[in-house]
Amino acid sequence: MMDGRDSVRHRAFTRRTLLLSGGVVGIYTVLAGRMFQLQVLQQDQFTMLAEDNRVNVQLIAPPRGRVYDRFGVELANTSQNYRVLIIPEQTKDPEATLRELAQLVPLPEARIQRVLREVRHSKPFKPVLVTEGLDWDQFSKVNINAPDLAGIEPDVGELRNYPFGPWLSHVLGYVAGPTDEDIDEDPELLSLPGFRVGRSGVEKAADVELRGKPGAAQVEVNAYGRVIRELSRREGEPGQDVVMTLDMEIQKLTEEHLRGQSGSAVMMDVNNGEVISIVSAPGFDPNPFTTTVTPQLWKELNQDPLKPLLNKAITGVYPPGSTFKPIVALAALESGAMKPSNRVTCTGAVALGNHVFHCWKRGGHGSMDMHAAIKNSCDIYFYECARRAGIDAIEAMAKRFGLGQVYGLEIPGEKSGLVPGQDWKTRRGLGKWTTGETYNVGIGQGALLLTPLQLCVMCARLANGGKTVTPHVIKSFGDKPRELPPILNLNLDPAHVAIVHDGMDAVVNEGGTAARSRINIDGFEMAGKSGTAQIRRITDELRGKSPDQIPWEYRDHALFIAFAPVAKPKYAVAVVVEHGGGGSKVAAPIAKDMMILALQRDPAGKPSFVPGTRTAGTAAVSG
Amino acid sequence: MPLNNTFGPTGRELRFSDKIASINWIVVGFITAVCCIGFAMLYSVAQGSLEPWAGRQMIRFGIGIVIMFVVALIDIRAWISLAYPAYAATLLLLGAVEFFGRAGKGAERWIEIGPLQLQPSELMKIALILALSRYLHGLNLEDVSKPLRLIPALLLIMVPAGLVLMQPNLGTATILVVGGCGMLFLSGLSWKIIVPVVALGIAAVPVGWNFLHDYQRERVLTFLDPDRDPLGAGYNILQSKIALGSGGIAGKGYLQGTQSRLNFLPEKQTDFIFTVLGEEFGLLGVLTLMGLYLAILVQGTLIALEARSHFGRLVAMGVCLNFLLYILINTSMSMGLIPVVGIPLPLVSYGGTALITVLFGFGLLLSVQIHSGVDIPRSAANIW
């Protein structure tokens, strides 16, 4: 039925169809070639890219080491910190995401703005902390809604806890987010969201040990960065636990005694320099510092007249007053300028040139030998003692006892105080040293300035007969004891030491200035030396008035140093109560109570805690 | 027109059983094989689950295959007489989409008729093949190149293509235009017309650029330089190439494709399913699928060449051309050879309308094959 015209167009159709088929074969060849290129020639390259896509390396923050007292009481630990992160590259509009999140958890506007600023400045794949410290309910809500909140990642981090809060604020310090400079030091680890570094106290001094080393996990992630599974893991090293030399019970007692006052107290083991207790009052609660300090709290702490943020035990410098007299006595004895039996008559005042120097006792003590002078803290005797010894001998003796220096205590911020001398005066361009100044130094006044820690070190070196123990608060990192500087001998004449010890014994036990703080327990007897540091020139108007009649800020500082037991000293203590009035009245009773508790508990005589053994048995934890 | 009033190559009337017996089961087998590959891949991209894609796709395949056989058994002469009304109806639907269409993925492609969601642009692919074949069936070889005869054919192509482009749906518009022009080419359009038009077309590319939507320009730019914005628009191309390349010769194994399983591939159940196949089954898997496609095309071409009626030949080649264009556009997009266009891989990608349309097309192809002995007078092309 096919007509001619039909067969013409059929032939044309067939021709064109075959032509087209040829074209198709050509295109097919191109496609096959392309597949060969992708899947055979470039296979390695693309396999690598696929692996890059798939695998992410994530740092695992090491758990921070805990801090224990010498018997294993936890002083700083970590708890779970429920928090929320945002990964910038996973959300198109971080602001909208945060606003949605704000309907689930409290998120103040200021914080949203801060997070957004950080999001803009950090790398897109780097998680940024949005909020933390959530309770379980809030955290659950975020978890349930997380799939709808692009880029929002609920996460469990660490939160540092200080169970004893203000009792240890100045010792432990606190941790906080790293500064830019910190981050430069270890960018990978420190820029982990919510990572904390030690900001002050032991947390800062032992930060490297406490921090540990980060682990890493290779994880498979999907295109949105969500972790699908873990492929491999290299465990990091958890931070080392730190065992302190402190005995928390004594620390607590000390804090309670100083509460409401501005002052500090330090107790040391005289034989090895371990600090048993170190308190600066008032303290503050370090816990808010680990997350956010509200401006209000910050203002309160800064405006408190008792200065809770200052660690007075190591940064407060005070004239030591009479507590310095044992050093003057030793300087005079060693130089031969004074024999123990040499007597000086105290009439209540002595003239030097046209200046009159007073004794604290207006009527005078009468004739004094060295024992009596220490016992009664006679100023006239020590003016004479200092004059005969000379400032050079006193300065040298003070420095041998560790005054005017820092010890490298594991609590940053120590002040070195000042031990004045001829060199110091000329160097400062203050002219020539005068005998009057020697007089003042002789009774612990003048330019002489010491910290309570230095007072305690001085007292400990007196108590142990002149061995240069160095104060420290860290006993061990993990189970490795801390390395200490060697203990040298000051080569004091034991007879000289005995005279000073006897004098200090008499201060407390033979009706001396601190007789009211005598310890009536056999074998616990305490020797001490009180001090009252003038913080102003005594005017005639104020002279003789009792502390209650003077405004608080003009009152004298009360000081007391002590060691016990007298026969075989174990502990030394130094107490400074700012504007407390008389040393024997205010400071000595605190020292007494601390000493009794220390002697009862006897931390130095008991084995100390070794971390990691706590679960194995409680034998190490006693008392 | 009664179904049994037809004549086979022997001149006798074709009975229903004759039609069933003469069906090209080879084509049906290949089609089924490709669809099964599709089910397997949809199962894989759902992380080894029939939900949400593979199961539904199987049901649609069941419906589609029934439609295919029904279409195949309908007399070819019925199709030529239905061609214009079907075209007109589809054109109306396409117009309706412009006004009542529901937006999906930024494109107005769907229209709802009761519970049914229709993509008139998909239906138009079939309608255009039928209408154009009927029109060309009525023309002599030399008439095809005469402007007055050519213009109606061009209008048949360009009017629906224009509407589809306005939706906007560049992929389908391309298929309509290229498929339609391909049929003109097969009908023997003079080289004197083809060469200048192609040259003019190339010259007009810069002009056409201005008519593209922003997202379309973005696709083209990104295609030319995928690294321009690797996490933005270039992401799809790059990730697809990574998936294919990392598949290697033998692939990563079924259900083991990391790129797709971890969602690095976008639209993996539709536009980028070829990539999933390439990742999990490698070059061997890709060549197997391409081989099956080629086998279907070869069979289709043979059916076209053996048909007695010009209408039948054109319909058969029209269906093949459409099918071919789907394959070429989708695969070269996955390989990073052309910009990203929303064209599914036929019979494999998830999507109801596309699957049913393609199977409808194969129904027509089989109808041409069953009725290959039937002559159709030129007068059948006339409207009156």
Side-chain angles (χ1 to χ4, degrees), chain B residues 30-49:
Chain B
F30 285 146
I31 289 169
T32 310
V34 171
C35 283
C36 287
I37 289 177
F39 304 149
M41 294 329 294
L42 290 174
Y43 182 78
S44 173
V45 293
Q47 322 272 341
S49 163

Side-chain angles (χ1 to χ4, degrees), chain A residues 68 86 96 127 232 236 255 260 297 321 442 473 505 560 599:
Chain A
Y68 299 97
I86 184 167
S232 72
E255 202 273 343
L297 175 63
V473 293
D505 184 8
F560 195 75
L599 290 167

Side-chain angles (χ1 to χ4, degrees), chain A residues 86-362:
Chain A
I86 184 167
I87 300 164
E89 69 177 1
Q90 288 172 24
T91 172
K92 283 222 169 83
D93 184 353
E95 182 160 0
T97 309
L98 289 175
R99 299 232 177 272
E100 250 177 272
L101 182 68
Q103 294 171 0
L104 302 173
V105 296
L107 209 59
E109 181 61 29
R111 167 147 267 193
I112 292 180
Q113 293 307 326
R114 209 173 62 208
V115 172
L116 286 175
R117 216 174 316 129
E118 205 175 327
V119 162
R120 278 193 294 275
H121 290 121
S122 65
K123 290 173 187 149
F125 54 83
K126 199 132 254 183
V128 171
L129 183 69
V130 178
T131 180
E132 60 183 339
L134 299 178
D135 63 34
W136 179 248
D137 273 0
Q138 294 168 327
F139 189 63
S140 310
K141 264 198 248 167
V142 176
N143 262 299
I144 290 164
N145 290 290
D148 300 328
L149 295 166
I152 289 293
E153 185 124 321
D155 186 68
V156 181
E158 260 193 353
L159 194 62
R160 197 63 158 169
N161 271 332
Y162 304 107
F164 292 100
W167 275 281
L168 287 165
S169 47
H170 295 113
V171 177
L172 295 176
Y174 52 86
V175 293
T179 60
D180 288 348
E181 290 134 56
D182 291 331
I183 290 174
D184 288 341
E185 175 202 326
D186 188 350
E188 257 194 344
L189 179 61
L190 295 184
S191 52
L192 280 176
F195 197 82
R196 299 285 200 281
V197 294
R199 258 295 121 70
S200 68
V202 169
E203 290 277 28
K204 183 178 184 182
D207 195 41
V208 173
E209 288 84 1
L210 287 166
R211 194 188 286 173
K213 295 199 172 69
Q218 271 197 323
V219 290
E220 187 171 277
V221 295
N222 69 9
Y224 315 112
R226 221 170 265 289
V227 174
I228 303 298
R229 67 190 165 119
E230 195 170 290
L231 301 172
S232 72
R233 176 183 269 259
R234 172 172 56 75
E235 288 299 341
E237 262 175 51
Q240 282 180 302
D241 290 340
V242 168
V243 179
M244 300 197 65
T245 58
L246 300 184
D247 180 338
M248 195 55 215
E249 288 302 315
I250 301 172
Q251 180 81 7
K252 271 198 259 183
L253 177 94
T254 313
E255 202 273 343
E256 278 154 21
H257 275 64
L258 285 169
R259 197 171 289 168
Q261 317 237 44
S262 176
S264 48
V266 184
M267 176 179 269
M268 272 171 71
D269 181 330
V270 302
N271 293 309
N272 57 17
E274 287 177 0
V275 175
I276 307 292
S277 162
I278 178 166
V279 170
S280 170
F284 59 92
D285 185 0
N287 287 305
F289 283 74
T290 63
T291 50
T292 31
V293 180
T294 60
Q296 194 207 344
L297 175 63
W298 184 245
K299 205 173 138 196
E300 249 170 55
L301 288 171
N302 268 308
Q303 291 180 350
D304 191 329
L306 300 184
K307 305 250 177 285
L309 290 176
L310 280 186
N311 185 358
K312 292 161 194 132
I314 60 168
T315 64
V317 289
Y318 309 91
S322 301
T323 57
F324 188 63
K325 284 173 181 165
I327 302 297
V328 179
L330 282 175
L333 288 171
E334 191 167 84
S335 65
M338 206 81 172
K339 288 198 166 44
S341 55
N342 288 161
R343 302 189 84 85
V344 173
T345 302
C346 168
T347 57
V350 64
L352 179 72
N354 55 5
H355 191 85
V356 178
F357 286 84
H358 291 272
C359 184
W360 66 270
K361 194 172 179 183
R362 294 197 87 175

Side-chain angles (χ1 to χ4, degrees), chain A residues 1-3 5-6 8-21 24-25 27-28 30-32 34-36 38-40 42-44 46-51 53-54 89 220-224 228-229, chain B residues 136-137 139-141 185-186 188-189 191 194 235 239 241-242 244-246 248-249 252 258-259 261-264 278 282-283 286 290 293-294 301 305 308 310 313-314 317 321 324 328 331-332 335-337 375 378:
Chain A
M1 288 241 253
M2 204 183 278
D3 61 18
R5 288 180 157 191
D6 251 10
V8 168
R9 68 180 189 182
H10 275 200
R11 275 201 302 279
F13 179 87
T14 306
R15 238 184 358 257
R16 289 283 169 99
T17 300
L18 292 176
L19 197 61
L20 186 70
S21 302
V24 170
V25 169
I27 294 172
Y28 244 73
V30 170
L31 291 185
R34 173 66 168 177
M35 288 312 293
F36 182 79
L38 287 177
Q39 298 198 297
V40 178
Q42 301 183 326
Q43 190 202 348
D44 292 344
F46 284 118
T47 302
M48 212 174 65
L49 285 173
E51 198 66 10
N53 259 347
R54 184 172 78 95
E89 69 177 1
E220 187 171 277
V221 295
N222 69 9
Y224 315 112
I228 303 298
R229 67 190 165 119
Chain B
L136 294 171
H137 178 78
L139 296 187
N140 287 324
L141 177 60
F185 170 80
L186 292 174
L189 188 64
W191 289 108
I194 295 170
Y235 183 83
Q239 293 302 336
K241 279 162 71 179
I242 290 174
L244 287 174
S246 62
I249 295 171
K252 293 178 186 169
T258 58
Q259 287 284 105
R261 204 161 49 76
L262 300 173
N263 288 326
F264 285 101
L283 188 60
V286 167
M290 295 298 275
Y293 278 145
L294 197 59
T301 308
L305 291 176
R308 280 176 73 90
H310 199 59
R313 294 176 158 217
L314 284 168
M317 276 317 286
L321 260 175
L324 176 72
L328 294 185
T331 55
S332 22
M335 296 175 205
L337 287 174
D375 258 330
R378 291 201 183 190

